[in-house]
Every structure is written in structure tokens, then in C-alpha cells.
Amino acid sequence: MTQTKEKMTKAYRVAQEMLKDRLKDVDQTMADEFDELNSSDVIVVRGTYDFIEQVFNGIGLKYKIVSEQVLESTQLDPDQIVFINCPGDISNKALRNLVSFVDKGGFLFTTDWALRNVIEKGFPGYIRYNGRSTLDEVVRVEVLTKDDPFLQSLIGQNDDPQWWLEGGSYPITVLDDNKVETMVRSKEIKEKYGESAVFVSFDHGEGKVYHMISHFYLQRAETRTERHKGEGSSYLSEKLSMDSNRWNKYKKMGVDDANLAEVEAAYSSSSVMNKILWDKKKRSIEKSRDSNEEKR
């Protein structure tokens, strides 16, 4: 299992570099704006079962990590993004702090059991746990890009991404389709557990909440097809315009230490995470512009 985790960590590093090169190939303006995302103000709340900070470490994203207890008294800035690892077992005082933070414009991201511990308690009426629990397995997912220019630039029709489900993960019931956007779904989860949502978001107050089933850090993928069994570098050829400089860069990063399925899964997962950073950056720009116009 340790070897598998090391491969996935390397796959995440490769995937983050791929995101940058992909944007350069399809939209240079968006690529230039993407380079500024590392300046995002990110807070990570420690968890027991999920470790999104491992992904951030791998891709070089700066963040501040705090305990659940510190969240009670931390003065949260609406310009920040708060990531809460599973299980999200926080106090009522910390929860009130989070709700106020989102109301004022903050972005909140939660995973798995935080659905009951944070979302249902603090943000009722949008999504809830459907009462069933998943097995430890890997499922196919579909990233919905139709109305999202950022994800459209990254995900193509030939992508066949997978998502790892921790045993005991909580399927997501969407309570209001008009208010909740589903960005990743899975027919397999729907067939097995009654709900298709994998990654969802909704606006609340002036801010936004994101939630996903299972854990952000995907610990493994499966080689379900001959394509998935290919080398990680095969995925580079599918996604990017490759020259000798790019090949050398990715070879040095160890792209072929992971197979295509692992690199593709990390790429899809990273695309979703970077979408949150992208959305926050664009929202902050709009807020600053509106504020300047009011002062005129």
C-alpha cells in the first residue's frame, strides 16, 4: 500500500504540471491567470481520514494547517478558502464561525463524513447523507464541463477518470437541483448506492460551499481497460502538445513510475481542486471591481 501511495503522490505532481501545460496549449490568458493561484489564502483543518495537505505539499501550494479546536477562535477572512478533511468533527462554536465565514464571502470545501458533521448542521437544505455506506472500491466518474470554461479547458471527451471510494463513504443526496450544481457524477455510484453525485457545490450568502464523496487524496486507481494499463506518459500524448523539452521534464518527474490510470485519476482530481482556487480568484476579482466602481 505504501508503494501505491508513493505512486499516487508522484502522479499528483505530474498532474499539476500537466494542468499548467494544458492551459498554455488551449488558452494562454487563462494559463497566465492560473499561475497566480498559488497566492490564494488557504487554510486546512486537520482530519483523521483525509489528508488534502499531502496533495498541496506535492504541488507546492502554500497553506496554513490548523486543528479543529483552533477553528473555534480563528478569525477567518472571507478572502480565504477553508478545506476541512474528513471527518469534520468540529464543535458548534467552530461551526458557527464557519457559517459566518461563508455568509460573508468565504469558500468552504469538505469531504465525506463532514457531510453530516458540517454541511447538514451548518448549511441545511442543500445536500444530505442518503443513509447508505460504500465499499472500498474504485468507480468510473464523469466530470461535467458544459457550463464551466475552466474545466472545459482541462477535461476532454476521451478522458475516462476514476474515483477512489473509502469504505464507509457517504453518498450525497441533492435536495435542491436549482441551488446545487453537480460537477462530477458516477453512474456506478448511482447503481450501487442510489446517488450519482461525487462533487457538488452551492452558493450560500456571499460565499460558496463545495463537498465531495470519499476523500480528496485518491490513494489508488484501477487498470480496467487496456488503455488504463498504459504508461503514464501515454496520457501526456493524449492531453498535451509534446516536444523534447516537455518530454524531458516529465521523464525527470517520473511520469512512467505511475500508469495511465493513476495519472488520469490524479489529473481529474487536481482539476476539481484547482477549480475551487480558480472560482475563488475570479470571485475576489469581481468583488474588488464592484467595490472600486461603488467608490467612483
Side-chain angles (χ1 to χ4, degrees):
M1 181 63 73
T2 299
Q3 184 178 7
T4 301
K5 287 184 178 181
E6 289 176 353
K7 290 172 66 178
M8 286 304 299
T9 297
K10 188 166 291 187
Y12 270 107
R13 291 179 184 141
V14 168
Q16 187 68 10
E17 194 64 24
M18 285 183 66
L19 291 175
K20 298 176 184 178
D21 283 339
R22 173 69 178 176
L23 287 175
K24 290 175 183 176
D25 287 348
V26 300
D27 192 324
Q28 185 60 52
T29 299
M30 191 175 286
D32 293 339
E33 294 176 352
F34 182 78
D35 285 338
E36 300 177 4
L37 293 186
N38 278 351
S39 63
S40 298
D41 196 351
V42 172
I43 292 179
V44 175
V45 180
R46 285 193 183 94
T48 306
Y49 307 114
D50 197 4
F51 308 96
I52 194 171
E53 61 271 20
Q54 292 182 6
V55 177
F56 291 166
N57 289 336
I59 66 177
L61 180 69
K62 296 179 181 179
Y63 64 91
K64 177 182 179 182
I65 191 162
V66 301
S67 66
E68 299 95 328
Q69 292 75 26
V70 170
L71 194 61
E72 294 182 359
S73 56
T74 297
Q75 185 68 35
L76 298 173
D77 186 330
D79 285 334
Q80 295 173 323
I81 307 174
V82 175
F83 290 83
I84 298 185
N85 284 308
C86 179
D89 190 11
I90 62 176
S91 68
N92 289 334
K93 184 177 181 180
L95 182 59
R96 288 194 295 271
N97 194 17
L98 277 176
V99 173
S100 176
F101 160 73
V102 175
D103 280 338
K104 294 175 182 178
F107 275 28
L108 173 65
F109 173 87
T110 61
T111 63
D112 215 14
W113 290 2
L115 178 55
R116 297 192 74 182
N117 294 330
V118 177
I119 304 301
E120 289 186 13
K121 292 179 180 179
F123 307 90
Y126 297 100
I127 58 176
R128 65 172 174 79
Y129 169 42
N130 83 335
R132 303 175 68 177
S133 295
T134 70
L135 298 176
D136 183 327
E137 59 186 318
V138 175
V139 297
R140 272 195 171 101
V141 298
E142 178 185 4
V143 182
L144 306 178
T145 65
K146 182 179 178 181
D147 299 318
D148 193 299
F150 183 75
L151 290 178
Q152 275 184 356
S153 299
L154 300 176
I155 306 298
Q157 294 181 346
N158 294 327
D159 284 303
D160 184 19
Q162 303 176 57
W163 212 269
W164 173 66
L165 298 179
E166 172 78 68
S169 290
Y170 287 177
I172 305 164
T173 296
V174 174
L175 299 175
D176 191 334
D177 288 318
N178 293 321
K179 295 181 179 179
V180 178
E181 179 184 4
T182 299
M183 286 169 286
V184 182
R185 67 186 178 192
S186 170
K187 293 179 180 178
E188 288 187 44
I189 297 179
K190 173 72 172 178
E191 293 169 356
K192 294 178 179 180
Y193 306 110
E195 307 293 345
S196 65
V198 172
F199 180 70
V200 301
S201 71
F202 55 86
D203 291 320
H204 184 89
E206 296 183 13
K208 197 162 189 174
V209 177
Y210 299 84
H211 180 78
M212 69 168 54
I213 189 174
S214 193
H215 300 162
F216 181 84
Y217 180 74
L218 304 181
Q219 294 186 15
R220 62 186 174 91
E222 291 180 348
T223 52
R224 294 187 169 192
T225 66
E226 286 301 314
R227 173 179 170 276
H228 285 150
K229 295 176 184 178
E231 295 182 332
S233 56
S234 297
Y235 192 56
L236 298 179
S237 299
E238 292 182 11
K239 301 298 294 184
L240 304 174
S241 298
M242 298 298 295
D243 56 23
S244 59
N245 289 331
R246 281 188 176 178
W247 278 120
N248 290 333
K249 175 178 65 175
Y250 286 107
K251 289 293 184 182
K252 289 180 180 179
M253 294 178 71
V255 62
D256 283 332
D257 291 342
N259 60 37
L260 186 148
E262 290 162 338
V263 175
E264 183 175 48
Y267 180 85
S268 301
S269 174
S270 295
S271 296
V272 167
M273 184 272 290
N274 280 283
K275 173 185 166 48
I276 299 173
L277 301 177
W278 179 265
D279 284 353
K280 183 57 176 174
K281 180 66 69 176
K282 303 304 282 188
R283 184 75 66 94
S284 296
I285 291 173
E286 292 173 2
K287 181 179 179 181
S288 177
R289 185 182 62 234
D290 292 343
S291 177
N292 290 334
E293 289 179 353
E294 289 178 0
K295 294 177 182 179
R296 292 176 181 175

